[in-house]
Amino acid sequence: MKKLLLTSLIIFLGSCSNDDFDNSDVSLISKETDNKDKSSDLKKANASEKNFKEVPAGNYILLVPAKIKENVISVLKEQISRSELKNYQKSNSDLDTISSDQDPVGTLLIIADESTLGSSLKLDVKGYIVNLSNLRGQQYHIVDDFIIQYEISKRQDSALLTNEKETILSISSISEAVLFSEKGRKDRDWETSTTSKRNGY
C-alpha cells in the first residue's frame, strides 16, 4: 500500500513538474514573440521618423517628407532661421503637429499661410493647392498639364517680383511632392515624369 501511495505521489509530482516546464517554455516563447513584435514596431516607427522631418511653421510643427524639408524651409526662410528652428524643436510640445502624410492639404495651406507672400497671392496659391488636391486620382497628363499651366502663368506674370515667383513655384513643387507621393503614383507615367525635376524658375 505504501509503495502504491509512493508511486502515485511520484507520478503526480512528475506530471506537475512537466506541466511547469511546458508552461515555462510557452511563457518564454510568448515573451520572445512580444519582444520581437516590440522591436519590429520600434523599427517601423524609426523608419517612418526617418522619412518625415519636423519643420516649424507658425503655431504648428509640420511633418514633411525628408526629401522636401529644405525646400519647405526655404519657403519659410523669412519666418524662421536655423536657430529659431532649434528653439521650436525644444518647445514643440506646445505646438500642434500636422503630418503631411495624413493631412496633406492642411499642411500645404499652412505653408502658404506662413510664406512671405502678400494676402492676395496667398489666396491664389491656396486656390491652386485645393484645385490640385481635387485632381488626385486623375491620369498623370491631366495633373501635369494643370501644374505646368499654373507655373507658366506665374513665370510670365510681369506684376510678380522675382522672389514672389520663386516662392510660388517652390510651393507648387512642394504641393506636387506632398499630394502625389510615390506611394500614390499608381500610373506608370509618374515614374518617367520630368515635371517634378524642374531646373530653375
Side-chain angles (χ1 to χ4, degrees), residues 11 33 42 111 113 132 189:
I11 290 171
T33 307
L42 191 60
I111 291 169
D113 259 336
L132 184 60
D189 287 340

Side-chain angles (χ1 to χ4, degrees), residues 162-195:
T162 303
N163 66 320
E164 289 174 329
K165 287 182 184 183
E166 287 176 356
T167 300
I168 291 169
L169 295 172
S170 291
I171 292 173
S172 174
S173 178
I174 292 165
S175 300
E176 183 184 355
V178 168
L179 292 171
F180 301 95
S181 61
E182 287 170 16
K183 69 178 182 181
R185 296 174 185 174
K186 295 174 184 173
D187 188 336
R188 284 187 163 221
D189 287 340
W190 281 106
E191 301 303 320
T192 55
S193 163
T194 55
T195 306

Side-chain angles (χ1 to χ4, degrees), residues 49-150:
E49 282 172 17
K50 284 176 190 171
N51 293 334
F52 286 85
K53 298 293 180 184
E54 291 184 355
V55 178
N59 296 320
Y60 302 93
I61 293 287
L62 303 180
L63 291 177
V64 298
K67 63 184 178 183
I68 64 164
K69 178 187 174 183
E70 294 305 317
N71 202 355
V72 173
I73 288 174
S74 75
V75 167
L76 305 173
K77 68 185 170 191
E78 301 295 326
Q79 305 285 1
I80 58 171
S81 66
R82 294 286 180 178
S83 60
E84 286 174 332
L85 180 61
K86 288 175 187 171
N87 291 336
Y88 270 110
Q89 286 175 338
K90 285 177 190 172
S91 62
N92 65 3
S93 58
D94 302 329
L95 304 173
D96 291 328
T97 301
I98 296 184
S99 171
S100 64
D101 190 38
Q102 295 177 0
D103 186 8
V105 176
T107 301
L108 294 168
L109 293 177
I110 290 167
I111 291 169
D113 259 336
E114 295 300 320
S115 72
T116 56
L117 295 171
S119 338
S120 60
L121 285 177
K122 282 181 183 178
L123 281 174
D124 181 78
V125 170
K126 286 178 175 182
Y128 166 75
I129 290 165
V130 170
N131 290 330
L132 184 60
S133 75
N134 290 335
L135 292 177
R136 282 188 289 179
Q138 294 291 326
Q139 291 180 356
Y140 163 73
H141 68 89
I142 295 171
V143 178
D144 194 46
D145 285 347
F146 179 77
I147 294 168
I148 289 170
Q149 291 308 313
Y150 180 77

